[in-house]
Every structure is written in structure tokens, then in C-alpha cells.
């Protein structure tokens, strides 16, 4: 195997996700094992633009495998979307003799990496890291499993109050325009209803479901509201329901950013290790403009072009049907 790569830069970009640190550790140590120097770009693409690059060694990633967030920090960089920003990033990579980039993030991060690579010929490998699980080319993204577990732990707690007071709760969960966290958390918590971006539900249909719950002698009711659903935020949906059924006194909880934090689950740590390790090995093989992902129990490689043009989370009608039957 010929190693033509002298130095690489690794960065985390977009929303932070639990397991990003475990992944940084895997990238750094796999690269060092193969005699490749590693720089960490601080705050995602901003670090490349501002030459905020930190040389990393094996010890700089000690004691981080269990930490949420990202030691490299992350950002949503507007400047990287401009020609000038990309040019500055390229100049800094050249000045530091960096030949390749490993980016850990979501679809936006991959879009940026693809454009950058096509424009300047820099080798890039993407590693899927986002709680949204909204990327084609992998069954799971780093951070999703932990976020789902955090979400269901929070909903279970709300269920205690809902049960004790015979209340109706609308709980808004993250996921941008993907309903993956919403549907899975609805199944895991026995939620009575779920509003998803991938499925149109009218307010009348939702009210009917809730009224049917009352008729079936349900005391508490939990409605999971995916942030990207078409009816509106949990507050808006709650108001619309209250307007139609006055005797409900609905409560609203927006789980928000607590879903992104915390120590990564065993699943996310293993996934992060495998994907970080594979990303560097792909670079060594000469691969570029691609992402590593998990399919079944195998690591697969998908070209960024393909990953970015395919839509990801499709409504699994079988899961939806099962959820509906199991919550009668
Ligand atoms: N078309 C693009 N050209 C250049 N850079 C881009 C482009 N799209 C996104 N980026 C860069 O990638 C960054 C991260 O993208 P985005 O904010 O969409 O998050 P993400 O990677 O999809 O992660 P998540 O969805 O989990 O937050 C952007 O802030 C921007 O710097
Ligand atoms: O933290 P920010 O920038 O408000 O972004 C929130 C978004 O990021 C995510 O947490 C991860 O993509 C989405 O689920 C959510 O829509
Ligand atoms: Mg995204």
C-alpha cells in the first residue's frame, strides 16, 4: 500500500452529535498508526478558513471516547459557502501541507466537502455524524442511537406526569425534515399519536385519534410532534386541538437541544470507531469524494454524488401500522 498522504485535517461540522469525539479519536489514531500527520480544524469549515488548525497526536484524543459534543467544536459556516471562503480554506490547507480532509457531519457538511473537492482537487472522505439519521449510504449516523435513547428517557418521565394527572402532552422532537427520531421514539414510548414530516395528518384526524383514545379509557395521551411535520410546532398543534376539544388541557414540551448532548451509547461508540478507522483506510487506498457508512453489519463506501441525490428516510408503513395497532 503506497501512502502518498503526508497530513490530513479532520473536522466536525453542522450540529454536534454524541460519538463525534469517539470518531475523532479513531481518525487520529488510525492516521498516526499509518504515519500520517493529523490536524484538527476548530469549528468546522471556519477552522480551515481562519487557519485555526491544531496538530493532534495520540494523547490529544485521550479521555474523550465517552464525551458528548465535539472537542474540535463545530459551526454552521456561511463563509465556506462562498468562493472566497473556499479559496482561503484551500490556501491554508496548502500552506500546512495538508493533502486530504476527513469531515464528520451531515448532508450540508457533505455538500460543502463535495464542492470543495471538485473545485480544488483535495481528497475528502465523509463520515456521517448527525442525530437526524437522514443520510443515504448508511443505516445509522453517529449520534442517532444516543439521541433516540435520550429522547425516550425524557418522554418516559413526562409519561409519569401525564399518567398521574390524566393529561394530554404534545412533545416536540428534533430531526429537521426527517421523522426518524419521532417515529422510533413514538414506538419506544407507546405514544398515542405521532406527526411526521413524511406523512400528512389533518388536525381532524389527530383529534379523532385522541377522542378514540378517550373512548378506549386511556387516561394519559402523548403525541410526538416531529419538528418538520406539516401541521406546525407542538405549541401550534396544541392550540388547534384545544380549540376543537375544549375539555382537554394540553401541555407542551419541546425537548430541543437536550437530545443532542450526553455520553454516546455503546452502539454509537462502536459505529464511530469503525467509521473513523475505515475513513482513513479509504484515504490510504486512494478513495476520495465518498462517505463511509454502515449497511447491515458491513462498512460500505458511497460516492458523495450518490449520497446527496438520494432521499433518505422514507416512511416505513409497516412500522407506522405496528405503532398504531400497539397503541390502541
Ligand atoms: N452548498 C454548500 N457549499 C459549501 N458549504 C456548504 C454547503 N452546504 C453546507 N455547507 C457547509 O456545511 C455546514 C454544515 O451544514 P448544515 O448546517 O446543513 O449541517 P449538517 O452537516 O447537515 O449537519 P446537521 O444536519 O446534523 O446539523 C454549513 O454550515 C456550511 O458551512
Ligand atoms: O442547533 P441548531 O443550529 O439550532 O440546529 C437545530 C437542528 O440541528 C439538528 O439538531 C441536527 O441536524 C436538527 O435536528 C435540528 O433541526
Ligand atoms: Mg443536515
Amino acid at each position: 500500500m503506497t501512502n502518498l498522504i503526508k497530513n490530513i485535517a479532520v473536522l466536525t461540522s453542522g450540529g454536534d452529535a454524541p460519538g463525534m469525539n469517539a470518531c475523532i479519536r479513531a481518525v487520529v489514531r488510525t492516521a498516526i498508526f499509518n504515519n500520517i500527520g493529523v490536524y484538527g480544524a476548530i469549528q468546522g469549515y471556519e477552522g480551515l478558513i481562519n487557519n485555526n488548525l491544531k496538530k493532534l497526536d495520540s494523547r490529544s484524543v485521550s479521555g474523550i471516547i465517552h464525551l458528548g459534543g465535539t472537542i474540535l467544536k463545530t459551526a454552521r459556516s456561511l463563509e465556506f459557502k462562498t468562493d472566497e471562503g473556499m479559496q482561503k480554506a484551500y490556501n491554508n490547507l496548502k500552506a500546512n501541507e495538508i493533502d486530504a480532509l476527513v469531515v464528520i457531519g451531515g448532508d450540508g457538511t457533505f455538500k460543502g466537502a463535495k464542492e470543495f473537492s471538485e473545485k480544488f482537487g483535495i481528497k475528502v472522505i465523509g463520515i456521517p455524524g448527525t442525530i437526524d439519521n437522514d443520510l443515504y449510504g448508511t443505516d445509522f449516523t453517529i449520534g442517532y442511537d444516543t439521541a433516540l435513547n435520550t429522547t425516550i428517557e425524557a418522554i418516559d418521565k413526562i409519561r409519569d406526569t401525564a399518567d398521574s394527572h390524566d393529561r394530554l402532552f404534545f412533545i416536540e422532537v428534533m430531526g429537521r425534515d426527517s421523522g426518524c427520531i419521532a417515529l422510533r421514539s413514538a414506538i419506544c414510548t407507546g405514544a398515542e399519536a405521532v406527526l411526521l414530516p413524511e406523512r400528512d395528518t389533518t388536525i381532524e384526524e389527530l383529534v379523532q385519534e385522541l377522542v378514540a383514545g378517550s373512548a378506549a379509557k386511556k387516561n394519559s395521551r402523548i403525541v410526538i410532534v416531529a419538528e418538520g411535520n406539516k401541521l406546525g410546532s407542538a405549541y401550534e398543534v396544541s392550540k388547534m386541538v384545544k380549540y376543537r376539544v375544549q375539555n382537554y388541557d394540553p401541555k407542551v414540551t419541546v425537548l430541543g437541544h437536550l437530545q443532542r448532548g450526553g455520553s454516546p451509547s455503546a452502539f454509537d461508540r462502536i459505529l464511530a470507531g469503525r467509521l473513523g478507522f475505515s475513513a482513513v483506510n479509504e484515504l490510504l487506498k486512494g478513495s476520495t469524494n465518498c462517505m463511509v457508512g454502515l449497511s447491515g453489519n458491513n462498512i460500505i463506501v458511497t460516492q458523495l454524488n450518490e449520497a446527496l441525490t438520494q432521499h433518505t428516510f422514507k416512511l416505513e408503513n409497516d412500522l407506522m401500522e405496528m405503532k398504531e395497532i400497539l397503541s390502541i
Side-chain angles (χ1 to χ4, degrees), residues 13-17 20 44-46 74-82 86 104-113 115-116 129-132 134-135 176 260:
S13 161
D16 63 300
M20 279 183 162
Y45 293 122
E46 290 284 303
T74 184
R76 302 193 194 277
S77 168
L78 290 180
E79 199 177 349
F80 194 68
K81 290 187 173 179
T82 65
M86 278 206 183
I104 307 168
D107 54 339
T109 300
F110 290 2
K111 259 180 222 146
E115 276 184 34
F116 191 54
T130 166
I131 65 162
D132 298 340
D134 60 350
L135 283 169
R176 210 181 283 273
R260 287 229 299 255

Side-chain angles (χ1 to χ4, degrees), residues 3-10 35-39 90 92-102 116-117 120-125 283 287-288:
N3 175 11
L4 298 171
I5 298 174
K6 189 171 175 192
N7 292 302
I8 63 169
V10 57
N35 299 314
I36 298 173
V38 192
Y39 288 87
Y90 176 72
N92 288 327
L93 289 182
K94 282 293 109 187
N96 290 286
E97 297 184 306
I98 294 168
D99 316 296
L101 205 52
V102 174
F116 191 54
S117 166
F120 296 101
I122 287 274
K123 287 188 159 77
V124 297
I125 306 278
L283 277 177
S287 307
T288 182

Side-chain angles (χ1 to χ4, degrees), residues 37 120 125 141 143 147 151 161 169 177 195 199 202 218 229 233 283:
F120 296 101
I125 306 278
T141 55
T151 304
T161 295
F169 269 88
D177 53 7
L195 299 176
R199 181 173 143 130
T202 64
K218 282 189 169 237
N229 91 89
S233 70
L283 277 177

Side-chain angles (χ1 to χ4, degrees), residues 217-228:
K217 300 201 165 32
K218 282 189 169 237
N219 297 328
S220 65
R221 269 141 304 171
I222 285 187
V223 179
I224 306 294
V225 181
E227 65 172 340

